[in-house]
Amino acid sequence: MTPASPADSGRLLPLPRSFHRVLVIAAHPDDAEFAFGATVARLTGEGAQVTYLVVTDGAQGGEDPTVPAPELTATRYAEQRDAARMLGVTDVVFLGLPDGLLADTPALRLALTRQIRRHRPELVLTHQPLRSLQFPIGASHPDHLAVGQAALNAVYPDARNPRAFPELLAEDLPAHRVAEVWVPGHEHTDLLVDVGETAELKVSAILAHRSQFRSSPDPRADVQWVVDRMRGNGTAIGCEYAEAYKRIVTDAAGAAGPTPTARRPTTEVPTRTP
């Protein structure tokens, strides 16, 4: 399956608005595909320019402790580029920070603010910054929580405040206001995105991270939960497949409010941890 073309989008339930530039901020290689892959493919198929920002080096994402960290990182970066291309993303930025040790620090906020101002997205897709006590523990990997918190802090107030990180002005990176942030919905879902045209492409992009499935006799069976989750979310809004988000409209006077649904999305199933 290939990304939907603009002509195809009329068969899908509409997005809340159109987006021209999107920045995906993910902790590890493969996080973007697991969390947002079908939505990313829909966005690129409808003409959006999507950039990936991967924060860590991915060196904790392997089952063989004898593999040197630089070798694993190189493998995971190559897999990430391949997966991104499958979804229509050609611009992938790696910060290379140590996997498993992230925290919401001023240095991380500066790094994320720099990329937000450089790429000037209308929409940021990133991790849920809150630990979920309802969904499986993999949804709340400490690196995910740190990136989600730092990304939201970079969106507001840092990226839009010209007095925040004044050294960025010297880099010719003026303030920029991100219009919306979407994070995985978990128990806070209020937006379900129809991805009926790109659900299979998401699965293929996940499987492009071959190093994460080396010991598996059937990688596709391992990620069947991804398909089941999208199908359950789709049922809730009357389409074949959907991805679930909490939508944050940064300049809204109040909460964006829930997207009407027939029923709640299906319960999360365990996720792979990097």
Side-chain angles (χ1 to χ4, degrees):
M1 182 181 293
T2 57
S5 70
D8 294 329
S9 63
R11 298 200 297 265
L12 301 174
L13 297 174
L15 297 174
R17 52 162 289 182
S18 61
F19 300 98
H20 301 288
R21 294 182 306 279
V22 179
L23 181 63
V24 178
I25 304 177
H28 311 102
D30 83 8
D31 285 344
E33 284 71 46
F34 274 106
F36 320 113
T39 299
V40 166
R42 175 173 176 178
L43 289 165
T44 61
E46 294 180 9
Q49 178 182 338
V50 179
T51 299
Y52 275 9
L53 175 60
V54 180
V55 176
T56 75
D57 59 12
Q60 294 292 315
E63 298 177 356
D64 183 353
T66 67
V67 175
E71 178 182 330
L72 180 57
T73 293
T75 296
R76 300 205 68 194
Y77 281 11
E79 292 172 345
Q80 179 62 94
R81 292 187 184 96
D82 288 344
R85 278 192 292 268
M86 295 174 68
L87 302 179
V89 177
T90 57
D91 189 3
V92 182
V93 179
F94 298 99
L95 293 186
L97 300 182
D99 193 350
L101 299 176
L102 294 183
D104 176 20
T105 62
L108 181 55
R109 286 170 61 175
L110 170 59
L112 300 187
T113 300
R114 176 179 285 111
Q115 296 300 324
I116 291 171
R117 292 193 185 183
R118 178 169 293 150
H119 296 283
R120 309 188 75 75
E122 299 132 335
L123 171 65
V124 166
L125 302 177
T126 193
H127 295 284
Q128 167 66 258
L130 304 174
R131 180 172 292 279
S132 174
L133 300 181
Q134 174 180 327
F135 285 24
I137 198 167
S140 299
H141 188 291
D143 284 347
H144 296 180
L145 304 181
V147 168
Q149 187 64 43
L152 283 173
N153 287 338
V155 166
Y156 181 88
D158 298 335
R160 64 169 60 192
N161 181 1
R163 297 183 62 84
F165 303 122
E167 59 267 43
L168 296 180
L169 298 179
E171 298 176 23
D172 196 25
L173 295 173
H176 172 70
R177 301 173 80 91
V178 174
E180 299 194 14
V181 181
W182 298 355
V183 301
H186 300 169
E187 57 263 53
H188 306 288
T189 293
D190 63 4
L191 173 66
L192 292 170
V193 173
D194 182 353
V195 293
E197 299 287 341
T198 54
E200 175 59 28
L201 191 58
K202 170 190 175 91
V203 175
S204 297
I206 290 171
L207 295 176
H209 295 274
R210 292 176 293 278
S211 66
Q212 305 304 290
F213 299 97
R214 282 179 177 159
S215 63
S216 172
D218 188 352
R220 179 166 285 272
D222 289 348
V223 299
Q224 181 60 39
W225 62 268
V226 173
V227 178
D228 294 342
R229 181 190 302 174
M230 289 190 292
R231 184 180 292 116
N233 288 336
T235 298
I237 55 172
C239 66
E240 189 173 7
Y241 298 107
E243 290 187 317
Y245 298 100
K246 170 62 184 173
R247 180 189 181 205
I248 303 164
V249 180
T250 65
D251 284 330
T259 298
T261 59
R263 58 185 63 85
R264 291 177 61 84
T266 57
T267 302
E268 287 273 340
V269 297
T271 61
R272 292 177 60 87
T273 58

